[in-house]
Structures are given as C-alpha cells and as structure tokens.
Amino acid sequence: MKKKLAFATITLITLLIVGLNNTVTAQNVKTQQEEKLTPNDPKYTGPITEQEFAEGYTEHWFKTGYKEYNPSHKTIKKIKHKIKKYTIKAFMGTWCPDSRREIPKLFKLLDKAKFNKENLTVYAVNHRKQTEAGYEDGLNISRVPTIIFYNKKGEEVKRFVEHPVESLEDDILSIVAGDDYINYLEQKK
C-alpha cells in the first residue's frame, strides 16, 4: 500500500512539473509571437532599409562604413551602365562583422552608380541565417552577407558571398559585366 501511495505521489508531482513547464513554455512562445519587433531591434529579422540602418543601434557602424568607403570612379562608371538590368537581394546579419563591413559599402556603391533602390531588398537574418517570415527559404543562404543578382526574368545570375575576391566594386563589376565570376565561398571549396 505504501508503495502504491508513493508511486501515486511521485506520478502526481511529475505531472504537475510537466504541466507547469508546458504552461510556461506556451506563454513564452505566445509572448514572442505577440512581440512585434522593428528593424531598430537587434533581434529583428526581415526587410531593412537604408534609412533604418542609418538610425538606432546600427547607425554608428553603418554611417562610418558608408562615409569611409571610396569606390573607384572608373569602376563605378563601368558598373553604372550594366547594373540597371538587375534586381538585388542582400541577406546580412547586423551582428556580423562581414555584413557590417560590406553592406554600407554596397549602399554607397549603388548610390554612386545611381542604381534604382526600388530594385534592392536587404534582409536582416539571425545567427542561423534565417528570417522569421522565411525570406531566405530555398536560397541557400549559408554565409552573410550574401548579395544575389537577378536578371529581369527573376533568375539568379550570380552572388557575392561573405568576402570580396578582389574588392566589392570589382566583384560587382565582374557579376554585372557577365564575367566568369566565382565568389569567395565557391573558391574555398
């Protein structure tokens, strides 16, 4: 009888602990889903604009990187006439040193080339290279920044991954000129 009572007591305590744990977990999930993060929050994932980079917690590194970058005028001139045929998707981590180095440069290069920014979308990703809404699904984003160039048919042409092979502007010129560009990650294989 004592064994049955002890077993019943242990079972009851275990069920209460599991039940309380599930309740707390469900409440945490609900709280996270209800919490609407904005691009000014370090945990935010999703589309992020140049203006949003220039404000809040990303302001210092974005503005500094933009200001200090001076792309070659000769290369910009070559890029300017070719890049208009493309749309660009960039995936980056606001936490990532490579992204913090290359994304301000990308914006400045596109400004100098007078690229229509309506043809550019930048997405902030988490450490797993994912966004809450799945913008990266099917795109094989394994390193950031990843800058993907699409032709007007929406087909991927080439991508810049993580580090430049030469320099950001030379790599982008190779991509938009239709050269046989092999990005940093592919070269490491």
Side-chain angles (χ1 to χ4, degrees), residues 14-120:
T14 302
L15 288 173
L16 285 171
I17 291 170
V18 169
L20 286 172
N21 186 39
N22 287 342
T23 302
V24 168
T25 301
Q27 287 173 343
N28 287 341
V29 168
K30 186 177 179 184
T31 301
Q32 289 172 3
Q33 290 173 346
E34 289 173 355
E35 184 181 337
K36 296 289 184 196
L37 300 177
T38 68
N40 201 19
D41 186 310
K43 293 179 184 177
Y44 172 80
T45 64
I48 186 167
T49 66
E50 183 174 9
Q51 181 178 347
E52 290 162 338
F53 278 120
E55 300 170 351
Y57 80 101
T58 57
E59 177 182 9
H60 177 71
W61 61 259
F62 183 80
K63 285 183 175 180
T64 301
Y66 186 99
K67 182 181 178 184
E68 291 178 354
Y69 179 57
N70 294 306
S72 157
H73 295 292
K74 184 178 177 182
T75 306
I76 291 295
K77 190 174 181 181
K78 292 177 185 176
I79 290 172
K80 184 177 184 175
H81 300 292
K82 299 177 185 305
I83 200 165
K84 293 176 182 172
K85 310 186 283 192
Y86 296 92
T87 57
I88 303 169
K89 284 185 185 178
F91 293 85
M92 61 84 59
T94 58
W95 44 267
C96 169
D98 298 323
S99 294
R100 289 179 175 201
R101 181 188 64 243
E102 301 301 336
I103 293 301
K105 291 179 181 179
L106 175 66
F107 276 99
K108 186 156 188 182
L109 186 145
L110 295 177
D111 283 343
K112 293 283 186 184
K114 300 196 183 322
F115 182 74
N116 180 353
K117 299 258 188 66
E118 290 180 10
N119 295 321
L120 169 70

